[in-house]
Amino acid sequence: ETGVTQSPTHLIKTRGQQVTLRCSSQSGHNTVSWYQQALGQGPQFIFQYYREEENGRGNFPPRFSGLQFPNYSSELNVNALELDDSALYLCASSWTSTLSGANVLTFGAGSRLTVL
Amino acid sequence: AQSVTQPDIHITVSEGASLELRCNYSYGATPYLFWYVQSPGQGLQLLLKYFSGDTLVQGIKGFEAEFKRSQSSFNLRKPSVHWSDAAEYFCAVGVSVMTTDSWGKFQFGAGTQVVVTP
C-alpha cells in the first residue's frame, strides 16, 4: 500500500504571496487532516476534510483553506502569506466511518515552507 | 478542550540505558492516546496507541506505554535504547469520530527531543 505523499517538499515564498500544498492520501483512507508544525513545536491542527467538505477546524484564519478531491487527495492553500506561516506543513490521512471509532493518523513527510 | 503536556523538552540517555518519556493529558472523557516519533526531516510515525482495554500497550521498535487514568498520564518507555532511537517524540490525544467537537482532531504535546550518547 502506498503511504501519504506530499508535494512540494520545500518551497520559499515572500510575504503576501499565495501557496498551494498537495497531499495524496494513503490508499484505503478517506479523510485528510492538515497540521502546521512550527520550529520546535508540536503539530497544530489546521483542518480536516471528509467527503470533500471541511469537517473541523483549528484556530487558523480563513486565509488557510483547503480542498479534498473525489480520489481523497487534498490541497492546502494559504493566501497573503505572513512570516509566521513559515513551518512544516503535515498532511495526515485516516479512515473515517459513520460508526464510532478513533482515527489513527498516517502522516506524510511534510512540506517545508519558508516565508521571507 | 483537550491538552497534552510533555514536561521534558530534552532528554539525554546512554545507549543501552532505559528511557521514559512523560506525557500528561487533560480531557473530559476517555481519551484516545498516541505516541508518535519524528526523525529529522521526516513526518510522524506512529509508535503505539491506546483506545481501551489493557492499560499497558506495546508498540513498534520495542516501545511500550502505560495509561494511568488516576494520574492522567501516558508515559512511554523502552528498556534499552539504541542509537537509532534519537529523535523527537510526541504524545497526542485524539477524540472519537462520534464526538461532535473536534472530530478527528489530535492535540499534540510540544515534544521531547531524545539524544542518545555512546
Side-chain angles (χ1 to χ4, degrees):
Chain A
E1 79 188 358
T2 57
V4 178
T5 58
Q6 293 187 242
S7 64
T9 54
H10 295 82
L11 69 166
I12 300 173
K13 293 285 188 178
T14 57
R15 275 189 305 172
Q17 285 189 311
Q18 178 265 344
V19 67
T20 297
L21 308 178
R22 295 178 175 82
C23 172
S24 294
S25 59
Q26 180 171 301
S27 60
H29 286 180
N30 61 3
T31 302
V32 174
S33 304
W34 287 92
Y35 285 78
Q36 181 195 66
Q37 186 179 18
L39 199 61
Q41 298 183 21
Q44 298 293 314
F45 176 73
I46 302 175
F47 44 52
Q48 181 183 80
Y49 276 82
Y50 172 61
R51 291 181 173 174
E52 302 179 45
E53 292 187 355
E54 185 179 295
N55 181 66
R57 189 178 184 95
N59 295 325
F60 283 83
R63 58 189 185 84
F64 285 78
S65 63
L67 288 172
Q68 185 182 32
F69 301 99
N71 65 355
Y72 307 123
S73 66
S74 177
E75 286 182 355
L76 164 65
N77 299 290
V78 187
N79 294 321
L81 284 167
E82 301 177 359
L83 296 179
D84 285 348
D85 294 334
S86 295
L88 180 67
Y89 288 86
L90 295 165
C91 171
S93 71
S94 56
W95 169 254
T96 298
S97 75
T98 54
L99 302 175
S100 63
N103 291 331
V104 175
L105 300 181
T106 300
F107 283 86
S111 293
R112 173 76 61 187
L113 171 65
T114 301
V115 182
L116 302 177
Chain B
Q2 66 267 35
S3 67
V4 178
T5 302
Q6 293 181 246
D8 304 305
I9 297 173
H10 187 275
I11 286 181
T12 299
V13 60
S14 300
E15 192 168 14
S18 63
L19 174 68
E20 181 167 11
L21 304 182
R22 296 183 290 163
C23 173
N24 294 98
Y25 68 90
S26 173
Y27 185 58
T30 300
Y32 295 98
L33 297 162
F34 306 83
W35 275 99
Y36 282 85
V37 61
Q38 186 177 37
S39 298
Q42 301 296 312
L44 279 74
Q45 180 184 22
L46 179 68
L47 284 175
L48 47 78
K49 62 185 184 291
Y50 172 77
F51 289 171
S52 64
D54 193 347
T55 57
L56 184 64
V57 294
Q58 303 297 319
I60 63 171
K61 304 184 179 185
F63 284 93
E64 66 177 25
E66 186 171 12
F67 170 60
K68 293 185 177 180
R69 184 187 301 276
S70 61
Q71 299 177 18
S72 297
S73 69
F74 188 56
N75 294 347
L76 180 72
R77 298 192 293 257
K78 185 169 184 177
S80 176
V81 299
H82 185 262
W83 64 266
S84 61
D85 294 323
E88 188 148 25
Y89 292 79
F90 292 95
C91 180
V93 59
V95 298
S96 164
V97 296
M98 293 303 290
T99 303
T100 55
D101 178 43
S102 309
W103 181 15
K105 170 184 174 180
F106 279 35
Q107 183 72 43
F108 283 85
T112 298
Q113 184 71 47
V114 173
V115 173
V116 180
T117 59

